[in-house]
């Protein structure tokens, strides 16, 4: 079994392109000499290499500045599997493999010819095999006719049952070879513009390299005019005998028929040729293959659409999380994605648990977008942010005169969201009196406005979220047990960031891109030292804290990379784990920076401006480095009366 791999670019400058992989090796990098050249400053000149060995592909990082990730984890070298996501800087690639039944990779080459003289041309409507009444009248019941009809019947049963495009094309050509004396065959599928977009080749003799050279002129004529063409004597045709590829292959006869679907739209063609002097392709074969193409075209189009849908589904499965802000490929996040995929299309109530900043509202929006209610409203209400006396009116609305200041009628969020989804965040903070009213909404899907007497029916789906332990709240009497059971129909917990540390690198790069778009600035790569700092931090504020840290670094940093010292000081105050290899590297870099600054200050005799000039940095940046590297005390002791002292505590 042969593999035809490729990379689908999910993000970065080459986004939405598809890159076929060679059987040898190919490199990814910023230089134009790479097989995949990415104009991205976060990608190294020679970033990584993909090489094929015994039919499998291996990824090797080439000592890149920011490292290479496979499924969110930094790796030096790894064998790739179908569906793996490779990240190089801010670009990501989806590695796909397709099974192909042909034992040897097939190729189709085009040759230009000026005409198609001395050929037979027919329209599909004239094909006798597609006209049963005429067939029974005009053709005698010979063995050849019986054989052809049997072949048509066999193909008509087999073809519609095959869903895989490559398997369908291979089976179709093999079945044609049973009744047509062709030595080589190819199926060429065209895009909406009529240009050949995919090819599949087959030879009658197993083990031969399925290289089929076709005339570009013939193919274009069939695709553009929707006619079938037969050349019985290629060497005798003054137009075709000049085509070098046909002469080199010793082609004696050929035919090409259109694949036509509804409304006479041509989606491709079937091409056959023969090098046999005794068994030339004839008009009977042209009639038969045109008939086969007539009822195979829809099956080929359906298989092609199915392949596109499968690939699109894989791509969207990865991209949907990024679009919704749910970024990560860890096991914990895969469980969340699976939950959303299964539960989203239903109308069941969902309870989302998790610490503050873990993305509970993003998960609620993902459930909403995966549901049949996605075209309706999504109404989010934070129960902890609104006082209890106002929350009741906010949820249920009020009638005129219901309370002081209630001048007119006001519809509540539940009523406005009719047909859609209501998301109640921090529901554990809701007062007990309101819990009673919400319980009725869940049970009866009806309520009254504040000060009203008329029941209002609503069709809503409720999604609730909490960062507290509702089980304990029920035991403490702070939350109604009956409401808890109504909410706890389907339950999912958003993992804390420290429980999915393998996602930090992917999240950090995602937030760089997001912040850069929001602030209208260019994204910058994250240095290894800064990434080490991010990886070794506990993140009590979870994903929200990480996003804020990246925005802080991107806006305040003044170099072409995000450096460790650009991060918030709360992250820098935490020492790196001593057993970490990355931590040892960071400590060594930190000590080296300290020594550079001390040497420059000594050379400048305590003058900060001159020291900055020696180091080639801005004086303000030097001041910030001194503060972050905790050198202020040392420099004050060495240069107490220097011409330019260190900045004050409030600088």
């Amino acid at each position: 079994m042969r593999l035809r791999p490729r990379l689908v670019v999910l993000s970065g400058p080459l986004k939405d392109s598809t890159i076929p992989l060679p059987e040898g090796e190919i490199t990814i990098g910023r230089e134009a000499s790479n097989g995949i050249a990415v104009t991205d400053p976060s990608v190294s000149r020679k970033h990584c290499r993909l090489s094929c060995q015994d039919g499998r592909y291996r990824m090797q990082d080439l000592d890149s500045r920011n490292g290479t990730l496979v499924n969110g984890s930094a790796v030096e070298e790894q064998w790739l599997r179908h569906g793996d996501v490779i990240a190089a800087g801010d670009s990501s690639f989806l590695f796909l493999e397709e099974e192909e039944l042909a034992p040897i990779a097939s190729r189709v080459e085009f040759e230009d010819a000026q005409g198609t003289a001395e050929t037979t041309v027919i329209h599909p409507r004239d094909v006798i095999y597609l006209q049963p009444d005429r067939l029974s009248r005009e053709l005698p019941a010979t063995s050849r006719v019986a054989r052809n009809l049997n072949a048509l019947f066999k193909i008509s049963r087999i073809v519609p049952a095959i869903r895989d495009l490559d398997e369908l094309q291979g089976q179709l050509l093999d079945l044609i070879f049973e009744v047509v004396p062709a030595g080589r065959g190819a199926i060429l599928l065209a895009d909406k513009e009529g240009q050949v977009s995919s090819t599949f080749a087959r030879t009658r003799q197993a083990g031969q390299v399925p290289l089929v050279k076709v005339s570009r002129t013939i193919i274009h004529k069939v695709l553009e005019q929707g006619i079938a063409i037969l050349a019985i004597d290629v060497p005798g045709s003054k137009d075709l005998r000049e085509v070098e590829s046909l002469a080199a292959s010793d082609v004696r006869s050929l035919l090409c028929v259109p694949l036509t679907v509804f409304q006479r739209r041509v989606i491709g063609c079937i091409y056959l040729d023969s090098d046999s002097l005794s068994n030339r392709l004839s008009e009977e074969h042209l009639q038969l293959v045109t008939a086969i193409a007539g009822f195979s075209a829809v099956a080929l189009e359906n298989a092609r659409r199915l392949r596109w849908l499968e690939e699109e589904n894989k791509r969207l499965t990865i991209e949907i999380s990024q679009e919704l802000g749910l970024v990560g490929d860890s096991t914990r996040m895969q469980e969340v994605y699976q939950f959303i995929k299964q539960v989203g299309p239903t109308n069941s109530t969902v309870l989302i648990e998790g610490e503050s900043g873990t993305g509970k509202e993003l998960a609620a929006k993902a459930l909403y977008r995966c549901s049949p209610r996605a075209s309706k409203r999504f109404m989010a209400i934070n129960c902890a942010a609104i006082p209890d006396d106002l929350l009741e009116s906010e949820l249920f609305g009020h009638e005129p005169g219901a309370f002081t200041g209630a001048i007119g009628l006001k519809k509540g969020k539940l009523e406005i969201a009719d047909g859609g989804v209501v998301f109640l965040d921090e529901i554990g903070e809701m007062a007990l009196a309101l819990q009673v009213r919400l319980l009725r909404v869940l049970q009866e899907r009806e309520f009254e406005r504040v000060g009203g007497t008329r029941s209002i029916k609503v069709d809503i789906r409720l999604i609730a979220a909490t960062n507290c332990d509702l089980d304990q709240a029920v035991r403490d009497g702070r939350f109604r047990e009956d409401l808890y059971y109504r909410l706890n129909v389907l339950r999912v917990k958003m993992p804390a960031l420290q429980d999915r540390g393998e996602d930090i690198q992917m999240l950090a790069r995602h937030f760089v891109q997001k912040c850069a778009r929001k602030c209208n600035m260019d994204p910058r790569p994250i240095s290894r030292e800064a990434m080490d700092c991010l990886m070794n931090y506990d993140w009590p504020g979870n994903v929200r804290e990480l996003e804020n840290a990246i925005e802080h670094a991107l806006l305040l940093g003044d170099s072409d990379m995000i450096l460790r010292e650009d991060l918030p000081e709360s992250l820098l105050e935490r020492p790196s784990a001593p057993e970490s290899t990355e931590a040892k590297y960071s400590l060594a870099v930190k000590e080296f920076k300290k020594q550079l600054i001390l040497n420059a200050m000594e050379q400048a005799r305590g003058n900060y401006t001159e020291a900055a000039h020696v180091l080639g940095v801005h004086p303000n940046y030097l001041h910030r480095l001194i503060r972050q590297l905790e050198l202020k005390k040392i420099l004050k002791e060495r240069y107490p009366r220097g011409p330019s002292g260190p900045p004050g505590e409030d600088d």
Side-chain angles (χ1 to χ4, degrees):
M1 189 171 290
R2 193 76 171 167
L3 299 177
R4 287 172 32 187
R6 66 194 185 283
L7 296 178
V8 177
V9 187
L10 303 177
S11 62
L14 303 177
K15 183 179 179 182
D16 296 331
S17 59
T18 301
I19 304 168
L21 294 177
E23 292 187 356
E25 65 178 40
I26 189 170
T27 57
I28 300 174
R30 200 169 68 248
E31 287 184 347
S33 59
N34 290 280
I36 303 176
V38 184
T39 55
D40 183 346
S42 63
V43 175
S44 298
R45 290 184 175 86
K46 292 284 187 181
H47 200 99
C48 63
R49 177 191 298 116
L50 275 67
S51 55
C52 181
Q53 299 178 15
D54 299 326
R56 297 180 62 196
Y57 277 79
R58 183 176 63 173
M59 192 287 300
Q60 294 174 287
D61 182 72
L62 301 177
D63 295 325
S64 61
R65 181 175 57 189
N66 292 319
T68 305
L69 309 181
V70 176
N71 299 326
S73 300
V75 296
E76 297 294 332
E77 182 176 328
Q78 181 168 315
W79 290 102
L80 296 176
R81 295 180 300 174
H82 183 74
D84 282 348
V85 177
I86 306 165
D90 296 320
S91 297
S92 57
F93 308 84
L94 176 64
F95 175 74
L96 296 178
E97 296 175 325
E98 299 176 357
E99 294 183 355
E100 178 179 295
L101 295 180
I104 303 175
S106 62
R107 292 192 297 128
V108 172
E109 293 184 1
F110 293 92
E111 289 289 339
D112 295 315
Q114 298 303 314
T116 54
E118 300 178 48
T119 59
T120 301
V121 175
I122 65 171
H123 282 275
R125 63 176 177 268
D126 299 324
V127 176
I128 196 169
Y129 290 106
L130 297 179
Q131 304 174 59
D133 294 337
R134 180 183 167 194
L135 183 65
S136 61
R137 291 194 311 269
E138 299 187 14
L139 290 180
T142 62
S143 58
R144 179 178 296 176
V145 173
R147 183 195 63 185
N148 291 344
L149 289 174
N150 182 62
L152 287 173
F153 179 69
K154 181 179 179 181
I155 295 173
S156 68
R157 286 187 296 108
I158 294 176
V159 165
I162 302 174
R163 295 290 179 264
D164 180 77
L165 180 59
D166 284 347
E167 182 183 357
L168 175 57
Q169 293 177 112
Q171 286 269 28
L172 189 55
L173 289 174
D174 286 343
L175 291 169
I176 290 174
F177 287 149
E178 291 181 7
V179 291
V180 177
R184 290 171 295 272
I187 296 176
L188 303 94
L189 299 179
D191 56 23
K192 292 181 179 179
E193 286 71 38
Q195 301 300 315
V196 175
S197 59
S198 71
T199 61
F200 187 95
R202 207 63 147 193
T203 57
R204 174 181 293 275
Q205 185 174 348
Q208 284 187 344
V209 178
L211 169 62
V212 179
K213 297 185 177 183
V214 302
S215 166
R216 193 185 302 272
T217 302
I218 290 178
I219 297 299
H220 283 177
K221 190 168 185 178
V222 172
L223 294 178
E224 291 174 4
Q225 300 181 24
I227 57 174
I229 294 176
L230 168 69
I232 297 176
D233 184 14
V234 171
S237 169
K238 62 182 179 181
D239 294 319
L240 296 179
R241 69 188 176 199
E242 301 299 329
V243 180
E244 293 183 5
S245 59
L246 297 179
S249 301
D250 199 23
V251 173
R252 299 291 177 175
S253 57
L254 63 84
L255 65 82
C256 187
V257 302
L259 291 162
T260 308
V261 294
F262 312 111
Q263 299 178 348
R264 298 183 179 179
R265 182 169 65 89
V266 178
I267 65 162
C269 60
I270 298 176
Y271 172 90
L272 301 170
D273 67 31
S274 173
D275 58 5
S276 173
L277 287 171
S278 57
N279 287 322
R280 295 177 185 268
L281 299 179
S282 65
E283 187 170 348
E284 179 191 350
H285 300 132
L286 182 67
Q287 292 262 353
L288 181 59
V289 177
T290 305
I292 293 171
F295 55 72
S296 300
V298 173
L300 287 165
E301 177 72 350
N302 289 339
R304 180 166 66 167
R305 287 177 177 270
L306 180 61
R307 169 178 287 185
W308 182 87
L309 288 172
E310 289 173 346
E311 294 176 353
E312 186 71 4
N313 182 56
K314 292 172 184 175
R315 182 160 55 248
L316 290 177
T317 298
I318 296 172
E319 289 185 345
I320 189 172
S321 63
Q322 298 180 349
E323 292 176 3
L324 297 174
L326 290 173
V327 178
D329 197 38
S330 62
T331 303
R332 297 290 300 274
M333 287 306 295
Q334 290 293 341
E335 293 171 357
V336 173
Y337 299 151
Q338 184 64 25
F339 178 87
I340 292 172
K341 182 179 179 181
Q342 290 180 320
V343 173
T346 72
N347 282 316
S348 299
T349 301
V350 178
L351 178 62
I352 304 174
E353 297 179 311
E355 298 176 8
S356 179
T358 52
K360 297 188 292 294
E361 184 169 350
L362 293 175
K365 288 181 178 178
L367 287 166
Y368 157 71
R369 295 191 184 184
C370 292
S371 75
R373 300 173 181 265
S375 60
K376 303 296 183 180
R377 284 181 177 267
F378 177 85
M379 195 67 69
I381 305 167
N382 191 323
C383 301
I386 305 174
D388 295 340
D389 55 340
L390 297 180
L391 182 59
E392 183 178 21
S393 174
E394 193 72 16
L395 285 172
F396 306 105
H398 62 254
E399 298 286 345
F403 51 84
T404 304
I407 299 174
L409 181 145
K410 176 188 175 181
K411 291 184 177 182
K413 294 291 180 67
L414 297 179
E415 188 175 352
I416 295 173
D418 187 30
V421 174
V422 174
F423 173 59
L424 297 180
D425 198 6
E426 306 302 349
I427 196 168
E429 305 299 322
M430 180 178 286
L432 287 170
L434 286 181
Q435 293 179 27
V436 177
R437 297 200 63 180
L438 182 61
L439 178 62
R440 184 188 172 198
V441 174
L442 287 172
Q443 291 174 330
E444 308 295 338
R445 288 299 192 270
E446 67 178 26
F447 63 92
E448 293 93 28
R449 300 190 188 105
V450 178
T453 57
R454 181 176 63 89
S455 291
I456 299 172
K457 289 279 188 180
V458 288
D459 174 24
I460 59 171
R461 181 185 188 181
L462 187 68
I463 301 176
T466 180
N467 65 357
C468 68
D469 186 349
L470 287 187
D471 292 295
Q472 186 61 46
V474 170
R475 289 192 292 269
D476 295 341
R478 293 181 289 107
F479 201 84
R480 292 183 61 92
E481 185 176 19
D482 47 4
L483 177 59
Y484 172 66
Y485 290 130
R486 282 287 180 179
L487 293 173
N488 193 24
V489 178
L490 295 167
R491 185 174 183 173
V492 64
K493 184 169 184 178
M494 298 299 294
L497 186 53
Q498 64 178 347
D499 295 333
R500 56 183 187 110
E502 59 266 44
D503 290 335
I504 290 176
Q505 293 190 38
M506 187 184 297
L507 281 163
R509 292 192 171 95
H510 167 73
F511 288 138
V512 167
Q513 295 287 340
K514 179 181 177 181
C515 179
R517 288 193 300 267
K518 182 177 73 172
C519 301
N520 195 25
M521 59 191 303
D522 294 330
R524 297 202 301 273
I526 303 173
S527 70
R528 187 185 296 270
E529 186 182 13
M531 188 64 77
D532 174 60
C533 185
L534 297 177
M535 296 292 293
N536 286 306
Y537 185 63
D538 286 337
W539 301 109
N542 292 296
V543 179
R544 185 182 294 122
E545 184 182 8
L546 174 59
E547 181 176 5
N548 293 340
I550 294 298
E551 184 170 353
H552 175 282
L554 193 63
L555 293 175
L556 296 184
D558 50 14
S559 65
D560 59 352
M561 295 183 68
I562 293 179
L563 305 175
R564 183 178 185 273
E565 48 267 26
D566 297 330
L567 299 172
E569 292 193 18
S570 57
L571 275 67
L572 303 179
E573 291 171 357
R574 175 182 172 83
S576 300
E579 68 277 4
S580 169
T581 303
E582 290 292 328
K584 292 178 181 178
Y585 168 82
S586 298
L587 288 173
V589 171
K590 183 177 180 179
E591 291 302 318
F592 181 69
K593 285 183 177 181
K594 284 184 177 181
Q595 195 58 49
L596 277 178
I597 292 173
L598 292 175
N599 292 343
M601 288 295 291
E602 183 177 355
Q603 184 177 341
R605 298 182 180 180
N607 188 301
Y608 285 77
T609 303
E610 291 186 14
H613 179 72
V614 171
L615 292 170
V617 299
H618 194 278
N620 290 341
Y621 182 59
L622 176 59
H623 289 164
R624 185 145 55 96
L625 280 176
I626 290 171
R627 183 171 61 252
Q628 292 173 349
L629 296 173
E630 301 175 349
L631 291 174
K632 289 171 62 176
K633 184 178 180 181
I634 297 175
L635 294 175
K636 278 186 177 182
E637 292 175 354
R638 291 190 182 184
Y639 311 104
R641 298 180 181 178
S644 177
E649 292 297 327
D650 57 349
D651 283 357

